[in-house]
Amino acid sequence: MKREDLKELGLNDDQIAAVMTAYGKEVNPLKEQVDSLTSERDSLKQQVSDRDGQLDDLRKNAGKNEELQATIKQLQDDNKAAAAKYQNDLAAKEKGYKIEGALRDAKARNVKTVLSLIDTDKVSVQKDGTLDGLTDQIAAVKQSDSYLFDSEAKVDQPIKFGGNFGNGDNNNATGKDDIASRIAARFAGTD
């Protein structure tokens, strides 16, 4: 869905923004899930390839028992380290997705810009999936750099009829606008 398509349907900018926000709330979690699953798949393919290479090495060394035991021990250690690294990478990506989602929910205009102002090392993911330590940082960024966020409430400026248009003192005792009075007098011929 593109903004141009919605504009062609006759929607105004506010309506387009509302549709795109709703669309983003539906699509962004799916994109994150696809990215996560793609990353996991690629990592698993790499692990299978690594293990196949390790098995080939074992077949070559099968005749030498002491070397075989040392190689097996080394491979087991390497596999444990690779599994731990994979889990840490996956947790870091999930944490990143959650932080970006929270920034979108906080109405950040540019998530990447705001993310650079957040110390992600101080943010942790709780067992229930909530983020600890992010709310305070978002509040601090909103206070120091509020222009990075959409305002909470739009202040509509009412259209003013009459009043001060920068043409002198319009709040005179008669309650009439001096300019309008002068124009009326000129047309009446009393000027």
Side-chain angles (χ1 to χ4, degrees), residues 90-148:
L90 193 59
K93 283 185 182 183
E94 183 178 336
K95 177 181 165 182
Y97 292 141
K98 287 183 181 287
I99 291 172
E100 288 175 7
L103 291 175
R104 276 191 295 279
D105 291 344
K107 298 187 180 178
R109 291 179 188 236
N110 186 333
V111 173
K112 289 181 182 179
T113 302
V114 176
L115 187 59
S116 68
L117 300 173
I118 301 291
D119 185 0
T120 57
D121 293 336
K122 293 182 180 178
V123 178
S124 61
V125 179
Q126 301 299 315
K127 290 181 182 179
D128 63 354
T130 59
L131 294 171
D132 186 35
L134 182 64
T135 307
D136 296 336
Q137 291 188 57
I138 290 175
V141 172
K142 276 186 176 182
Q143 185 175 5
S144 65
D145 300 308
S146 62
Y147 62 90
L148 293 174

Side-chain angles (χ1 to χ4, degrees), residues 61-72:
N61 295 330
K64 307 166 195 156
N65 195 18
E66 286 180 19
E67 287 181 27
L68 181 62
Q69 292 300 324
T71 304
I72 289 173

Side-chain angles (χ1 to χ4, degrees), residues 6 24 44 61 70 100 113 118 124 145 147 152-153 155-157 178 190:
L6 295 174
L44 291 173
N61 295 330
E100 288 175 7
T113 302
I118 301 291
S124 61
D145 300 308
Y147 62 90
E152 296 294 327
V155 178
D156 292 330
Q157 293 292 330
D178 288 338
T190 59

Side-chain angles (χ1 to χ4, degrees), residues 158-184:
I159 298 173
K160 295 180 181 179
F161 295 100
N164 186 354
F165 293 105
N167 56 4
D169 183 19
N170 291 335
N171 296 324
N172 55 24
T174 63
K176 294 183 181 178
D177 188 8
D178 288 338
I179 296 281
S181 299
R182 283 190 253 153
I183 292 172

Side-chain angles (χ1 to χ4, degrees), residues 1-6 11 14-32 104-105:
M1 180 181 308
K2 295 181 181 176
R3 290 182 181 274
E4 294 81 24
D5 297 336
L6 295 174
L11 298 177
D14 292 335
Q15 291 170 330
I16 291 172
V19 168
M20 294 305 285
T21 299
Y23 179 70
K25 286 182 181 178
E26 295 291 325
V27 171
N28 286 334
L30 296 175
K31 285 182 181 177
E32 291 170 3
R104 276 191 295 279
D105 291 344

